[in-house]
Amino acid sequence: MTRPLTSVERSVKGRNDWLQEEECKAIESRGEMGRMEFWLRVTRSRISKDVKAGRGDVIPGFTQVCRLFKLALDKRAEGDARLWNHLMQYAEQVLQQHDPRH
């Protein structure tokens, strides 16, 4: 028998369920472009909340992630896909370990 979820666990589960439902809706309406736009909106909202909470380091952190992503795209366009492949492998590993939706 499993114990009932705490209010915090229910809240996290509800948030994760909502994210998954909204992502599915975005994919249904606009495909992968919709998925990307959904995650950009969610991320922008979270960045704003973190800044208001005094965690301003989120802005340079996001900037670094964007610069890394652009660099990987540029290298791949130049014919060297190693950075892109490593970035995608690392992203998948992190998401498998830490994203409850996997």
Side-chain angles (χ1 to χ4, degrees):
M1 185 167 146
T2 61
R3 66 172 175 73
L5 297 176
T6 66
S7 63
V8 171
E9 290 169 332
R10 280 193 311 274
S11 177
V12 168
K13 183 180 180 332
R15 173 76 174 162
N16 289 336
D17 290 348
W18 179 84
L19 286 169
Q20 194 164 16
E21 289 171 17
E22 292 299 311
E23 181 182 32
C24 287
K25 288 179 192 175
I27 293 167
E28 287 173 7
S29 67
R30 301 228 341 148
E32 287 300 314
M33 187 64 79
R35 176 186 287 192
M36 179 197 64
E37 291 167 350
F38 168 73
W39 284 110
L40 284 173
R41 282 192 307 275
V42 169
T43 301
R44 184 169 187 242
S45 172
R46 181 56 194 262
I47 288 170
S48 294
K49 289 175 185 173
D50 276 25
V51 168
K52 287 178 186 173
R55 295 183 293 271
D57 62 339
V58 70
I59 292 173
F62 183 70
T63 301
Q64 291 289 85
V65 169
C66 290
R67 288 180 60 205
L68 173 60
F69 190 77
K70 184 190 173 301
L71 178 61
L73 289 172
D74 290 346
K75 291 287 187 184
R76 186 173 70 163
E78 293 169 3
D80 183 0
R82 289 177 298 171
L83 181 57
W84 176 262
N85 293 336
H86 290 157
L87 186 59
M88 292 301 101
Q89 285 176 331
Y90 181 67
E92 187 60 35
Q93 289 171 0
V94 170
L95 290 172
Q96 284 178 353
Q97 291 176 7
H98 299 285
D99 188 351
R101 297 178 315 120
H102 274 65

